Structure formats: C-alpha cells, structure tokens
Amino acid sequence: GMNITRLYTGKDQKSYFEDIELAFGGDQKILTTDSRPATMARFRCVPPGTVLELHPAPRRQFLVTMSGSWEIEASNGVKRVFKSGDVMLADDTTGEGHRSRVLGNEPHIFMTVPLAD
C-alpha cells in the first residue's frame, strides 16, 4: 500500500496526525487504490518563509507536495515535514486547526484534490 498522513480534528477540537495506508488492489500491471470522488484539482505555490497561523483546513482534501517542503504543526505541537512526493489528507475542517510553515529557500508547490465526500 501507500502510506499517507491524515490530519484530523479530535473530539477536543484540536488537530492531530495519524498514519493511514491506502491499499493497492487489482490483478493488472498497474495496481490502484479505491477511487475517491473529487471535485477538482488545483496546483498552488507558497513563497519561502511563509507562515500560516492556526487555521482549519478549508475543505477535506488531499495535498500532494510536488517540490519544496513545508512543516505542518498540529494543535498539540506535533510537527511533520512534507517534501516532494508526500501526501497528506487534510481532514481538520473544524476546531483549532494547524500551522503551516514553508521550509528552506524555495517555494512549496503542491496539488490539492478536494474530496466530494
């Protein structure tokens, strides 16, 4: 399977990380995960040095880092770094939210895929 990070809101309205696995299946040369209905795909670019203070995710969406890197800090102070090829499911759409910080001296370029469900 493919391991990704889920950022979610706990019962206490604080954000937390958990590791989840998207399973690959099928019997073809190209194995696939289950389909997730999505509404669109968008690429975004955040300049180096940018810090976004506590905010909830604007919608449930996959964030796929294309280049550069950033650090996401959950409400409880736990930090994770996402670099090229890393995938996060932003699911903390309520509550306190999380902080985002672009690391290094290049922009963080990522794709968002909002989920329909």
Side-chain angles (χ1 to χ4, degrees):
M2 185 173 96
N3 294 317
I4 70 167
T5 299
R6 177 177 177 242
L7 180 63
Y8 68 96
T9 306
K11 286 184 172 46
D12 59 2
Q13 295 303 301
K14 294 186 181 299
S15 61
Y16 298 94
F17 291 113
E18 71 174 342
D19 297 314
I20 62 175
E21 183 178 355
L22 300 182
F24 288 114
D27 56 2
Q28 303 171 19
K29 288 184 180 175
I30 299 177
L31 301 177
T32 62
T33 63
D34 289 340
S35 294
R36 301 286 295 269
T39 57
M40 70 178 106
R42 179 181 284 164
F43 293 91
R44 307 188 81 182
C45 179
V46 188
T50 300
V51 176
L52 302 173
E53 288 302 333
L54 277 176
H55 64 285
R59 64 195 67 81
R60 292 187 72 234
Q61 60 188 357
F62 285 115
L63 286 81
V64 182
T65 296
M66 310 303 290
S67 65
S69 63
W70 68 350
E71 175 186 81
I72 305 296
E73 181 180 346
S75 311
N76 60 356
V78 174
K79 298 176 183 179
R80 291 201 181 181
V81 174
F82 297 88
K83 56 192 183 329
S84 185
D86 289 339
V87 178
M88 183 178 80
L89 172 56
D91 213 356
D92 65 332
T93 57
T94 60
E96 202 170 281
H98 58 276
R99 285 185 180 84
S100 309
R101 182 178 295 111
V102 178
L103 302 176
N105 56 10
E106 60 178 291
H108 178 247
I109 297 175
F110 63 105
M111 177 175 62
T112 61
V113 182
L115 299 177
D117 59 349

